[in-house]
Amino acid sequence: MKVKDTLLLFDLDGTLWDSAAPVAEAWNEVFQRECPGLPLLTNDDIHSVMGLTMKEIGQTLYADLEIPRRDEIFDICCVYEVEYLHSHCGTLYPDFRATMEALKAEGYQLAVVSNCQRGYIDAFLASSGAGDLFLDYEEWERTGLTKGENIRLVMERNGYKKGVYIGDTKKDQEASLQAGIPFIHAAYGFGKAENPDGVINALTELPAALKKLLK
């Protein structure tokens, strides 16, 4: 594979940033307003469900809550979280911008594909100031497709037959397999992988990992 023929697609949570703190703050505001007495969430609670869709998150964190009310509360959380993140940036992983700029200087185009709600990636791009770095993105709620299908969708609409997906969980690895492209595991994130095509322990290791994978 040649650099100019290969699209780099990134997972978001646990790969480019950690938004657990502002997400917990936003959700807890909703809980206190909509359902006083509901146990508040910690950063660790949010970390435990990173990578799941919003519906799966609601079912996982509050399985004992009446389903109609649970769905209603998490719909409100979904909307308010996006608003909150526009002005409360998550923690970007070290050397995020420098690494993305270095990859673009080498000729790569970059995209983001995440199992998130509509508007979440826009909030990331706005609060991080990274809108100029990425060619395209896709979200689960906007398409209703699996992550693997969204990876292929982004590749096809930008004219790419080859790509590499960078993510931090086994689900990311499975999405890469579904999309038919190599997977690089961001081992500094929230999950594990089994025999990935490459491993990085920091974002700064990505350019070298790509050279090794694509040579």
Side-chain angles (χ1 to χ4, degrees), residues 53-68:
T53 65
M54 286 298 289
K55 184 175 182 179
E56 291 171 333
I57 289 172
Q59 292 170 343
T60 301
L61 291 177
Y62 291 104
D64 57 344
L65 198 63
E66 293 268 346
I67 289 180

Side-chain angles (χ1 to χ4, degrees), residues 57-106:
I57 289 172
Q59 292 170 343
T60 301
L61 291 177
Y62 291 104
D64 57 344
L65 198 63
E66 293 268 346
I67 289 180
R69 184 58 176 155
R70 181 182 63 208
D71 290 347
E72 178 187 347
I73 290 172
F74 275 85
D75 283 345
I76 296 170
C77 285
C78 182
V79 173
Y80 183 60
E81 173 191 316
V82 168
E83 296 175 1
Y84 194 83
L85 287 173
H86 267 275
S87 56
H88 297 78
C89 188
T91 301
L92 298 170
Y93 285 109
D95 298 302
F96 159 73
R97 186 168 189 93
T99 301
M100 298 300 109
E101 288 179 343
L103 292 170
K104 289 180 68 67
E106 290 183 12

Side-chain angles (χ1 to χ4, degrees), residues 34-213:
E34 299 292 332
C35 193
L38 193 68
L40 300 183
L41 298 175
T42 66
N43 291 5
D44 287 340
D45 291 327
I46 301 300
H47 284 152
S48 73
V49 293
M50 286 293 188
L52 301 181
T53 65
M54 286 298 289
K55 184 175 182 179
E56 291 171 333
I57 289 172
Q59 292 170 343
T60 301
L61 291 177
Y62 291 104
D64 57 344
L65 198 63
E66 293 268 346
I67 289 180
R69 184 58 176 155
R70 181 182 63 208
D71 290 347
E72 178 187 347
I73 290 172
F74 275 85
D75 283 345
I76 296 170
C77 285
C78 182
V79 173
Y80 183 60
E81 173 191 316
V82 168
E83 296 175 1
Y84 194 83
L85 287 173
H86 267 275
S87 56
H88 297 78
C89 188
T91 301
L92 298 170
Y93 285 109
D95 298 302
F96 159 73
R97 186 168 189 93
T99 301
M100 298 300 109
E101 288 179 343
L103 292 170
K104 289 180 68 67
E106 290 183 12
Y108 291 106
Q109 291 289 347
L110 317 177
V112 180
V113 175
S114 173
N115 268 347
C116 59
Q117 70 269 42
R118 187 189 303 268
Y120 185 84
I121 297 177
D122 271 334
F124 157 72
L125 296 175
S127 63
S128 67
D132 60 315
L133 297 173
F134 295 94
L135 173 68
D136 199 359
Y137 67 84
E138 198 50 86
E139 301 159 321
W140 161 77
E141 189 181 38
R142 190 161 71 168
T143 66
L145 301 175
T146 66
K147 182 174 279 189
E149 291 170 331
N150 277 331
I151 289 171
R152 291 305 311 180
L153 176 65
V154 171
M155 290 174 61
E156 289 169 3
R157 74 183 176 207
N158 289 285
Y160 282 89
K161 295 182 179 180
K162 300 173 183 178
V164 176
Y165 193 64
I166 301 97
D168 66 309
T169 69
K170 184 65 164 36
K171 280 196 170 186
D172 292 333
Q173 186 174 17
E174 292 168 353
S176 300
L177 181 63
Q178 182 186 13
I181 63 174
F183 173 71
I184 292 179
H185 181 223
Y188 53 83
F190 305 135
K192 298 182 179 180
E194 296 179 7
N195 301 313
D197 300 293
V199 179
I200 56 174
N201 293 294
L203 267 178
T204 52
E205 297 178 8
L206 184 54
L210 287 166
K211 287 180 181 178
K212 182 178 180 180
L213 178 65

